[in-house]
Amino acid sequence: MKKQLFSIVVPMYNEQDVIHELYIRLKSILNNIDNDIGVNHEIIFVNDGSTDNTEKIAREICLNDAAVKLINFAGNFGHQIAVTAGLDYAKGDAIIIMDADLQDPPELITQMIEKYNQGYHVVYAVRKRRKGETIFKKITAKLFYRLLSLMTNIEIPLDTGDFRLISKEVCCILKIMKEKNRFIRGLVSWIGFKQTGIDYIRNERLAGKTKYSISKMIKLSLDGIVSFSTKPLKLSTFLGFGMSFFAFLYIVYAIIIKFAFNKSEPGWTSLTVLILLIGGVQMIMLGIVGEYISRIYDESKNRPLYIIKDDINIEHIEKRCYSRCSE
Ligand code: UDP
Ligand code: MG
């Protein structure tokens, strides 16, 4: 029987403090799996334009271990794009996506592979508990996953990040979906196939700080909702009707008290409140429309998703020219 190959894709942005430990933990797990069930592995580090020593350390690891490959971005293109590049170059029968900071325990890979061998195409890890993250992060994450499931028509499992195994087939389909504002876990759910989850407790970051700034978190949440739902656009129609209804009631009320009681409302306050309210709602609605239009704009520019500066131990050159300016 042909030996199976598993690819591990790890996006990295300024992860100099964790990369070595990650490599050691990953290697020990992967070597065990290799010995037990006779498989091969490759590890693909995607350096997302780090400004610290991540690149240097990753290079050293690659030079000593041909199973480790490095894709070096020319700048910071973001986590979802870094994962996409890793998937583009992965050659495995199944691919595992994980963060660099060991919040996703490599030990779970064994269980993921077991499920894959039982016939599942996607095995995602469900965060049952999160350790060492701020209350703000925990609450916003919980709210986001619930809002997302309320807003979208496809079933994106609650509390799952990108830590998951996907089969080669799912990966092939992801590769042809070249949308720019990517929300990978949503795309994977949309693709379908047999999917399952395994629970885990999310550890705290091994070292360093989160690389997901508030603005990156907001962008990811908006990508999740806007890429998978047009419900926010419909909101304006409902709100428009709702507000018109109240305005109509108010007019009736004003007419009645004018003619029945010969009283006119002094009404400065109510007028100001109404103007502010309507103005506010209109601004929000314009903003929502703007979110969709800016994404249409991004798609229409048709720029490559990422630019690669150089790479190590990556063999298949033929795909590269699409994102490389030098070739
Ligand atoms: N990451 C990246 N590019 C970015 C931000 C983050 O490649 O612009 C990587 C980061 O190095 C890590 C993963 O994405 O491997 C998840 O980031 P992080 O752990 O900071 O996010 P959190 O777990 O706090 O949500
Ligand atoms: Mg993390």
Side-chain angles (χ1 to χ4, degrees), residues 15 99-104 133 137 202 205 210-211:
E15 299 289 8
D99 288 356
D101 55 8
L102 289 168
Q103 283 197 290
D104 306 333
E133 282 178 322
K137 176 109 186 182
R202 187 159 159 91
R205 200 172 228 288
T210 176
K211 305 300 175 308

Side-chain angles (χ1 to χ4, degrees), residues 20-285:
H20 219 86
E21 180 71 18
L22 166 80
Y23 171 68
I24 291 169
R25 285 263 297 273
L26 256 182
K27 238 3 216 195
S28 89
I29 292 292
L30 292 169
N31 283 338
N32 269 342
I33 300 173
D34 288 6
N35 292 338
D36 285 353
I37 52 175
V39 296
N40 284 325
H41 68 258
E42 62 172 2
I43 301 173
I44 305 180
F45 289 153
V46 185
N47 174 23
D48 185 14
S50 301
T51 47
D52 64 356
N53 282 326
T54 302
E55 178 180 343
K56 185 167 163 269
I57 303 171
R59 270 181 194 283
E60 281 163 15
I61 296 176
C62 288
L63 294 179
N64 290 316
D65 183 350
V68 185
K69 302 166 180 196
L70 174 67
I71 298 172
N72 246 327
F73 276 1
N76 180 236
F77 288 85
H79 171 227
Q80 299 286 301
I81 303 292
V83 171
T84 305
L87 296 180
D88 282 345
Y89 287 85
K91 294 196 302 186
D93 297 295
I95 297 105
I96 293 130
I97 305 166
M98 62 183 292
D99 288 356
D101 55 8
L102 289 168
Q103 283 197 290
D104 306 333
E107 291 70 24
L108 228 63
I109 294 176
T110 322
Q111 290 177 48
M112 289 182 171
I113 292 179
E114 268 168 29
K115 293 270 182 203
Y116 168 73
N117 283 329
Q118 288 165 15
Y120 289 98
H121 279 268
V122 177
V123 189
Y124 49 83
V126 186
R127 302 161 177 174
K128 276 290 137 197
R129 207 145 58 81
R130 289 162 166 259
K131 281 197 207 157
E133 282 178 322
T134 58
I135 299 279
F136 175 74
K137 176 109 186 182
K138 285 183 189 166
I139 293 178
T140 46
K142 272 247 177 293
L143 278 178
F144 166 63
Y145 290 115
R146 272 129 200 103
L147 181 68
L148 186 67
S149 87
L150 200 77
M151 287 282 191
T152 53
N153 300 327
I154 52 162
E155 272 199 20
I156 301 172
L158 292 177
D159 304 321
T160 57
D162 288 318
F163 183 29
R164 58 185 58 215
L165 174 148
I166 60 174
S167 68
K168 191 182 190 164
E169 288 79 3
V170 171
C171 183
C172 273
I173 301 167
L174 266 182
K175 277 187 203 169
I176 53 173
M177 296 160 82
K178 282 291 169 212
E179 54 190 85
K180 307 281 183 292
N181 296 288
R182 302 175 78 74
F183 185 62
I184 292 172
R185 57 202 91 154
L187 296 176
V188 171
S189 295
W190 180 86
I191 290 173
F193 285 105
K194 224 172 134 191
Q195 311 206 354
T196 185
I198 42 182
D199 294 346
Y200 80 113
I201 294 170
R202 187 159 159 91
N203 292 321
E204 53 193 295
R205 200 172 228 288
L206 182 72
K209 281 202 310 249
T210 176
K211 305 300 175 308
Y212 254 96
S213 54
I214 301 265
S215 63
K216 280 184 180 169
M217 263 162 62
I218 294 176
K219 169 153 190 339
L220 183 73
S221 324
L222 281 175
D223 282 343
I225 294 169
V226 173
S227 309
F228 289 94
S229 169
T230 48
K231 279 188 193 162
L233 283 175
K234 294 176 185 123
L235 206 67
S236 57
T237 323
F238 285 116
L239 273 174
F241 275 120
M243 293 193 64
S244 311
F245 178 69
F246 283 116
F248 176 74
L249 287 186
Y250 194 78
I251 292 168
V252 173
Y253 163 77
I255 291 174
I256 291 173
I257 55 169
K258 169 84 185 143
F259 290 104
F261 306 103
N262 198 19
K263 242 171 55 181
S264 60
E265 276 287 284
W268 272 107
T269 329
S270 54
L271 208 63
T272 323
V273 168
L274 271 178
I275 291 173
L276 284 178
L277 187 71
I278 296 173
V281 171
Q282 279 176 342
M283 282 302 185
I284 294 172
M285 290 306 140

